[in-house]
Structure formats: structure tokens, C-alpha cells
């Protein structure tokens, strides 16, 4: 399977961490790809008209996106219901919490793009700040329950929220404000799936 990949994409990382957790990482061949909303990669567009990462091309040529669909596919490949529960009640709750964490990743990615512009939209930055504080507060209240659950889709996505915030927003200071989240992240951050897939910026010297 070929995975269109970047070392800085939180959505790609969800897929790579999931593959590790499922024992499938050896099956992924990564194709380093650079994309931005203003710079689609012409080599990727024939596979994914959205021009987005992650995109997975299966050995029979089937193309899968986005990150949730790819993870659902990998979960089935590994036998099913390992990262996303099958019972309707637990599945819906897992998907809801995933939607919150994944929406937060969307927000953080948009926030970073806006923050790199010469002329920033202040109303947008204010809205990002407001929503981020509401989301952190919600997650801080949720994380205790999550610690009792298997390390599945929503835990993976939350771990990546924490690490993406550290990677791209080091001055945010979220760990002091949200100690339960920070403690939870400390307790899981040595998992091999996370430790072996950290974000790095390949445009800068390591
Ligand atoms: N909903 C998508 C989001 C994917 C996404 O936004 N990927 C970014 C990279 S972090 C991207 O490809 N951006 C380029 C673009 O949107 O054109 C998913 O979960 O996979």
C-alpha cells in the first residue's frame, strides 16, 4: 500500500500511528509529498481530487481518503473493531470524540496557515483562540474517562492534538492550563506507535 505522506501532517500521523497500533506499519510504503491549500501536488491530484494528505493507494489500485476512512480500512484489515468499536453506542461515542479532536486539528492547521500570512485576519485569529479554549476545556473534562478506554481512534487523535500543539504552537502553554490532559499525554507518549513517528520539519536541518 502506498501512503502519500508528510512528516508534519497531523492527519497523516493519525494513519501512521494507527498502522503501528494494528501491526500493519510494515505494509505501508510512504511517498513524501508536499502540499498546501495554495499549492496542490500535480502527482497527487489524479489519486485524490481534493489534493490532500493522507491518501492511500491499495495494491489493487483502489484509492482511499481521508484519514478516518483509511483508519477504518486498516482496522478491518487487522480483524476489525480494534481502534473503532463495533457496538453502536460505543462506536458513536468514539466517532463523536474523534470528530472533536479531528476538528481541533483542522482548526490548528488553519490557525498556523493564517499565522504565517503577512496580513492576518484578526477576527479569524480571535475565533481560533476562543474555540481553542472551549475545546481544551471540554477535552480536559473528558480525558479522565478516556484513560479507562483502550487506546483507539479518539485517543490516537487526541495524542496527536497534544503533540501537534507542542510542535507548531510551543508558546501556547496548554500543559500548565490543562494538567489532566498533560498528565494523560505524559502517560501514553512513550507508546512505540507515538515515539517512532514524531513530527519533524524536513525543510529544516534536524
Ligand atoms: N479531513 C482530512 C484533512 C486532511 C488535510 O487537511 N490535510 C492537509 C495536510 S495536514 C492537506 O492535505 N492540505 C492541503 C490542502 O488542503 O489542499 C483528513 O482527515 O484526512
Amino acid at each position: 500500500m502506498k501512503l502519500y505522506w508528510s512528516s508534519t501532517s497531523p492527519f497523516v500521523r493519525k494513519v501512521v500511528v494507527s498502522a503501528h497500533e494494528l501491526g500493519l506499519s510494515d505494509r505501508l510504503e510512504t511517498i513524501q509529498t508536499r502540499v498546501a491549500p495554495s499549492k496542490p501536488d500535480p502527482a497527487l491530484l489524479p489519486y485524490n481530487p481534493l489534493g490532500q494528505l493522507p491518501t492511500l493507494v491499495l495494491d489493487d489500485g483502489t484509492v482511499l481518503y481521508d484519514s478516518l476512512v483509511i483508519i477504518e480500512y486498516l482496522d478491518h484489515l487487522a480483524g476489525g473493531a480494534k481502534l473503532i468499536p463495533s457496538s453502536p453506542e460505543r462506536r458513536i461515542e468514539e466517532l463523536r470524540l474523534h470528530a472533536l479532536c479531528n476538528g481541533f486539528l483542522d482548526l490548528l492547521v488553519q490557525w498556523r496557515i493564517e499565522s504565517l500570512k503577512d496580513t492576518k485576519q484578526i477576527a479569524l485569529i480571535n475565533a481560533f483562540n476562543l474555540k481553542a479554549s472551549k475545546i481544551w476545556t471540554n477535552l480536559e473534562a473528558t480525558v479522565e474517562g478516556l484513560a479507562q478506554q483502550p487506546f483507539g481512534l479518539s485517543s490516537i487523535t487526541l495524542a496527536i492534538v497534544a503533540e501537534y500543539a507542542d510542535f507548531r504552537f510551543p508558546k501556547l502553554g496548554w500543559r500548565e492550563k490543562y494538567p489532566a490532559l498533560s498528565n494523560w499525554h505524559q502517560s501514553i507518549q512513550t507508546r512505540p506507535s507515538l515515539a517512532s513517528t514524531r513530527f519533524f520539519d524536513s525543510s529544516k536541518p534536524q
Side-chain angles (χ1 to χ4, degrees):
M1 296 181 277
K2 290 188 171 57
L3 179 68
Y4 284 81
W5 175 94
S6 149
S7 64
T8 58
S9 165
F11 305 101
V12 166
R13 186 141 181 247
K14 280 171 63 191
V15 168
V16 177
V17 170
S18 298
H20 269 265
E21 289 290 333
L22 294 166
L24 295 172
S25 52
D26 290 352
R27 308 257 305 260
L28 295 181
E29 180 193 333
T30 53
I31 302 176
Q32 185 156 4
T33 312
R34 250 175 220 285
V35 289
S38 57
K39 272 195 213 140
D41 180 342
L44 175 60
L45 285 169
Y47 295 105
N48 180 351
L50 297 169
Q52 289 194 322
L53 304 175
T55 297
L56 185 70
V57 183
L58 306 186
D59 295 343
D60 69 359
T62 305
V63 182
L64 299 179
Y65 47 83
D66 59 2
S67 59
L68 179 58
V69 174
I70 296 173
I71 293 168
E72 174 105 43
Y73 170 77
L74 295 177
D75 202 19
H76 281 294
L77 202 60
K82 300 231 164 30
L83 299 180
I84 309 173
S86 54
S87 78
E89 217 169 282
R90 287 192 49 223
R91 183 180 170 83
I92 293 293
E93 175 49 18
E94 188 75 19
L95 291 174
R96 183 204 62 81
L97 187 52
H98 165 265
L100 179 63
C101 297
N102 208 58
F104 199 11
L105 290 178
D106 277 324
L107 184 155
L108 291 171
V109 168
Q110 294 309 315
W111 193 347
R112 174 170 159 79
I113 291 172
E114 192 62 27
S115 68
L116 294 175
K117 290 182 183 163
D118 291 336
T119 313
K120 299 170 191 32
Q121 288 191 51
I122 300 304
L124 203 51
I125 302 274
N126 287 345
F128 288 151
N129 261 304
L130 174 66
K131 288 185 191 176
S133 76
K134 300 288 178 201
I135 299 167
W136 285 121
T137 303
N138 186 301
L139 292 172
E140 176 78 355
T142 306
V143 74
E144 199 183 314
L146 199 62
Q148 321 302 324
Q149 305 289 326
F151 193 73
L153 173 71
S154 56
S155 307
I156 289 170
T157 311
L158 182 55
I160 292 170
V161 163
E163 296 193 13
Y164 191 74
D166 288 343
F167 177 53
R168 290 304 200 197
F169 297 86
K171 294 189 192 135
L172 213 55
W174 70 271
R175 288 186 183 275
E176 293 73 47
K177 290 186 217 148
Y178 307 105
L181 264 176
S182 181
N183 289 340
W184 173 80
H185 177 255
Q186 295 296 339
S187 75
I188 50 98
Q189 52 125 5
T190 53
R191 289 180 84 87
S193 62
L194 292 169
S196 63
T197 62
R198 301 276 188 230
F199 292 114
F200 63 93
D201 196 339
S202 54
S203 65
K204 291 186 188 153
Q206 292 302 295

